[in-house]
């Protein structure tokens, strides 16, 4: 049987510190095929970015302890030499960051920064790289690209800067694109334009896309599958339609209830998830969500407090990490008015 295009298996990323071991990601597994989008959603510190950075080898040269397997297009990326990883990073796998202003160098013209990404992986002249840069700026919707290529980052609006970042990420035709909160810093209308552009380019280049976000609304818009992360672990995973229509565990219920809805009555308050995630230095012995979970009362005994639930299949391809079984979950939803 052939491997999926991207297969992450039992990935762990730990950081030794003077206070102890920070388990930023533990036992993470998922797959992704070409042309498809996986949304990874969770609060800050849930391990979304740390785990995705491991695919790009960004923890190499740091004190991070990375284990597990990352099979990408037939190669285990964790077993590559630093030199081979450098060759693939930016070419086969590229990343779009949340804040283009800090990702772009303020003193260099945007065209030079994009060309540099092309020259790093292609034996071509600067003239050819510049022509390719102008072509990409045009492709991502920058007006007058042959003139704007010589502008500096501060001369672009936030939305245009994010388009520049997308042009830079796509200039080498990567087959996997990781977008880390690419629309968080943008106005809602610009956000929609950038999501449309990403989907259009993904279709054109048949790129696999990992969309990292804290916003389930963005996921509902563009992802085929969703991985919900909490405190470094996957807590729910499945097809977007299944997860959005039949979310199966309390943290996902909380995320869905937190999506602002302009059609809801102004008298109805938003339902934020109370409390904060646990410290990754000192994870509780049971379910990491226990201290915030109003549904633990429906699980018999003290299992939520003492036993970490496994990530188990609920139906075909839909997995959840929660001790509530199906009947108890239905009962809890009716009792509490969740979702
Ligand atoms: Fe809540 Fe228990 Fe499920 Fe954790 S295992 S999410 S504490 S019900």
């Amino acid at each position: 049987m052939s491997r999926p295009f991207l297969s992450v298996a039992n990935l762990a990323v730990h950081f030794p510190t003077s206070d102890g071991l920070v388990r930023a990601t533990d036992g993470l597994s998922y797959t992704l095929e070409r042309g498809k989008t996986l949304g990874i959603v969770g609060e800050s510190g849930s391990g979304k970015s740390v785990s995705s950075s491991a695919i790009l080898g960004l923890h190499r040269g740091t004190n991070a302890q990375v284990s597990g397997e990352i099979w990408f297009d037939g190669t285990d990326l964790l077993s590559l030499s630093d030199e081979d990883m450098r060759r693939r990073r930016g070419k086969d796998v590229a990343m779009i960051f949340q804040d283009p202003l800090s990702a772009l160098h303020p003193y260099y013209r945007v065209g030079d920064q994009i060309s540099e990404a092309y020259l790093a992986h292609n034996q071509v002249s600067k003239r050819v790289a510049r022509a390719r840069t102008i072509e990409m700026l045009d492709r991502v919707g920058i007006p007058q690209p042959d003139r704007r290529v010589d502008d500096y980052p501060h001369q672009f609006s936030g939305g245009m800067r994010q388009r520049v970042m997308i042009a830079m990420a796509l200039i080498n035709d990567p087959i996997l694109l990781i977008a880390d909160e690419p629309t968080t810093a943008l106005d809602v209308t610009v956000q929609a334009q950038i999501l449309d552009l990403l989907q259009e380019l993904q279709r054109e280049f048949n790129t696999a896309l990992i969309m990292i976000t804290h916003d389930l609304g963005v996921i509902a818009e563009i992802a085929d599958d969703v991985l919900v992360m909490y405190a470094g672990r996957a807590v729910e995973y499945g097809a977007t339609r299944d997860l959005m229509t039949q979310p199966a565990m309390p943290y996902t219920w909380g995320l869905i209830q937190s999506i602002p809805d302009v059609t809801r009555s102004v008298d109805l308050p938003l339902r934020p998830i109370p409390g904060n995630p646990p410290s990754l230095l000192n994870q509780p012995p049971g379910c990491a969500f226990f201290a915030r979970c109003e549904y633990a009362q429906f699980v018999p005994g003290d299992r939520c407090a003492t036993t970490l639930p496994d990530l188990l299949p609920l139906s075909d391809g839909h997995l959840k990490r929660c001790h509530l079984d199906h009947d108890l979950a239905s009962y809890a939803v009716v009792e509490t008015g969740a979702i």
Side-chain angles (χ1 to χ4, degrees), residues 222-243:
I222 73 164
D224 298 288
D225 293 326
V226 192
L227 178 74
V228 181
M229 289 192 71
Y230 188 76
R233 292 195 178 93
V235 292
E236 192 162 351
Y237 178 41
T240 304
R241 195 184 314 136
D242 292 348
L243 200 131

Side-chain angles (χ1 to χ4, degrees), residues 234-237 248-249 309-314 318-326 329:
V235 292
E236 192 162 351
Y237 178 41
M249 59 87 64
D310 291 325
L311 187 69
L312 295 174
L314 186 69
H318 189 171
L319 295 91
K320 71 162 185 175
R321 187 189 293 281
C322 178
H323 291 309
L324 276 176
D325 66 27
H326 184 68

Side-chain angles (χ1 to χ4, degrees), residues 118-125 128:
Y118 192 61
L119 287 165
H121 295 286
N122 297 278
Q123 302 286 335
V124 295
S125 66
V128 170

Side-chain angles (χ1 to χ4, degrees), residues 250 253 271 287 289-305 322-325 328-329 331-338:
W253 298 340
R271 290 187 62 176
C287 172
F289 192 56
F290 173 64
R292 306 171 75 183
C293 184
E294 57 178 305
Y295 306 96
Q297 58 179 307
F298 298 103
V299 176
D302 60 356
R303 285 167 70 210
C304 291
C322 178
H323 291 309
L324 276 176
D325 66 27
L328 279 173
Y331 175 70
V333 166
V334 172
E335 283 292 296
T336 59

Side-chain angles (χ1 to χ4, degrees), residues 32 36-41 199 209 211 213 215-228 236-248 252 256 259 316-319:
L32 179 63
K36 298 288 183 190
T37 300
L38 172 72
I40 303 185
V41 67
Q199 284 181 289
L209 174 64
M211 170 68 69
T213 178
D215 186 345
L216 259 184
V218 169
I219 299 283
E221 184 98 347
I222 73 164
D224 298 288
D225 293 326
V226 192
L227 178 74
V228 181
E236 192 162 351
Y237 178 41
T240 304
R241 195 184 314 136
D242 292 348
L243 200 131
M244 295 302 288
T245 57
Q246 294 174 307
T252 315
I256 290 177
I259 301 174
D316 194 22
H318 189 171
L319 295 91

Side-chain angles (χ1 to χ4, degrees), residues 125-330:
S125 66
K126 285 189 173 173
R127 194 176 52 78
V128 170
R130 181 181 167 86
R132 167 81 175 151
T133 298
I134 293 171
E135 182 190 322
M136 279 311 295
L137 287 175
D138 186 38
R139 187 63 202 83
V140 299
I142 302 280
Q144 300 178 283
D146 49 343
R147 190 175 65 72
R148 302 300 311 264
V149 70
D150 292 320
D151 283 349
Y152 290 90
H154 73 270
Q155 293 172 285
F156 288 78
S157 66
M160 287 295 164
R161 273 196 293 269
Q162 196 53 287
R163 286 173 191 265
V164 167
M165 290 303 299
I166 293 172
M168 190 187 298
L170 291 179
I171 196 159
N172 291 309
D173 297 336
I175 45 183
L176 173 62
L177 185 61
I178 301 172
D180 190 353
E181 307 263 11
T183 58
T184 302
L186 304 174
D187 297 343
V188 182
T189 47
V190 181
Q191 204 175 80
Q193 290 169 9
I194 296 293
L195 290 179
D196 283 349
L197 174 66
L198 276 174
Q199 284 181 289
E200 195 183 315
L201 295 169
Q202 180 187 26
R203 276 194 293 273
E204 187 177 324
F205 296 101
N206 196 27
T207 315
L209 174 64
I210 295 178
M211 170 68 69
I212 302 169
T213 178
H214 61 271
D215 186 345
L216 259 184
V218 169
I219 299 283
E221 184 98 347
I222 73 164
D224 298 288
D225 293 326
V226 192
L227 178 74
V228 181
M229 289 192 71
Y230 188 76
R233 292 195 178 93
V235 292
E236 192 162 351
Y237 178 41
T240 304
R241 195 184 314 136
D242 292 348
L243 200 131
M244 295 302 288
T245 57
Q246 294 174 307
M249 59 87 64
Y251 181 61
T252 315
W253 298 340
L255 287 180
I256 290 177
Q257 285 168 345
S258 309
I259 301 174
D261 177 1
V262 288
T263 61
R264 73 190 273 140
S265 161
V266 288
D267 299 329
L268 283 176
L270 278 176
R271 290 187 62 176
I273 303 171
N276 293 300
S279 160
L280 297 175
L281 259 175
N282 215 348
Q283 294 248 18
C287 172
F289 192 56
F290 173 64
R292 306 171 75 183
C293 184
E294 57 178 305
Y295 306 96
Q297 58 179 307
F298 298 103
V299 176
D302 60 356
R303 285 167 70 210
C304 291
T306 58
T307 312
L308 175 69
D310 291 325
L311 187 69
L312 295 174
L314 186 69
S315 58
D316 194 22
H318 189 171
L319 295 91
K320 71 162 185 175
R321 187 189 293 281
C322 178
H323 291 309
L324 276 176
D325 66 27
H326 184 68
D327 292 342
L328 279 173
S330 310

